Amino acid sequence: MTDDTDAGIVVRDTADLPRFGGGEFASQIVADETVGVENVSVGVVTFEPGAEGSRHVREVEEIVYVLEGEAEIVTDEETHGLTAGQAAVIPPGVHHRHVNVGSGPLRKLWIFAPQGPEEAIRDREVQES
């Protein structure tokens, strides 16, 4: 990790960040209060082919941006397909789950506004690099 605090800029390399999760998917927290960010948290999650997250709901805005692969976001009412370069905004209170429907890894950038859900991510098992 490079930390350029003279300019007020913090540069983080995901290769150096812990991976939280187990089995078929893991998240890395890129920016939150630990690096001086207020009001939002940002991270990257990687799903192995065929992996899907459990149904959950957040009380904050959740934004996901697909960096690589093919995803579905499944709600109680509908399914939205996303590919690299597409984003989805999930309002607070919407039950949903994320699924890798592609043949390769799915990598997504996530943003929570305001902060909060990253605490549950930190509670997950830490994977070895």
Side-chain angles (χ1 to χ4, degrees), residues 2-24:
T2 303
D3 185 351
D4 184 357
T5 54
D6 291 338
I9 295 172
V10 176
V11 176
R12 302 186 88 189
D13 186 335
T14 56
D16 299 329
L17 297 174
R19 296 171 52 86
F20 301 98
E24 299 180 313

Side-chain angles (χ1 to χ4, degrees), residues 13-89:
D13 186 335
T14 56
D16 299 329
L17 297 174
R19 296 171 52 86
F20 301 98
E24 299 180 313
F25 68 93
S27 284
Q28 295 173 286
I29 300 170
V30 176
D32 62 2
E33 74 283 351
T34 64
V35 294
V37 174
E38 297 180 21
N39 303 318
V40 301
S41 56
V42 179
V44 176
V45 63
T46 302
F47 282 72
E48 295 301 321
E52 60 182 76
S54 60
R55 181 178 179 268
H56 62 281
V57 63
R58 304 210 188 279
E59 297 307 318
V60 302
E61 301 276 359
E62 180 178 352
I63 302 164
V64 295
Y65 176 81
V66 177
L67 300 166
E68 172 187 0
E70 299 173 59
E72 282 185 351
I73 299 174
V74 181
T75 72
D76 293 342
E77 289 82 31
E78 55 194 352
T79 298
H80 297 274
L82 298 169
T83 58
Q86 293 184 308
V89 177

Side-chain angles (χ1 to χ4, degrees), residues 86-128:
Q86 293 184 308
V89 177
I90 305 165
V94 174
H95 287 87
H96 63 283
R97 63 187 172 92
H98 303 270
V99 182
N100 180 351
V101 295
S103 58
L106 168 64
R107 291 186 67 235
K108 298 184 303 176
L109 180 79
W110 52 258
I111 301 168
F112 299 137
Q115 295 174 345
E118 68 282 357
E119 291 304 320
I121 291 170
R122 278 195 193 89
D123 290 341
R124 296 178 184 156
E125 175 183 341
V126 176
Q127 295 183 350
E128 299 297 321

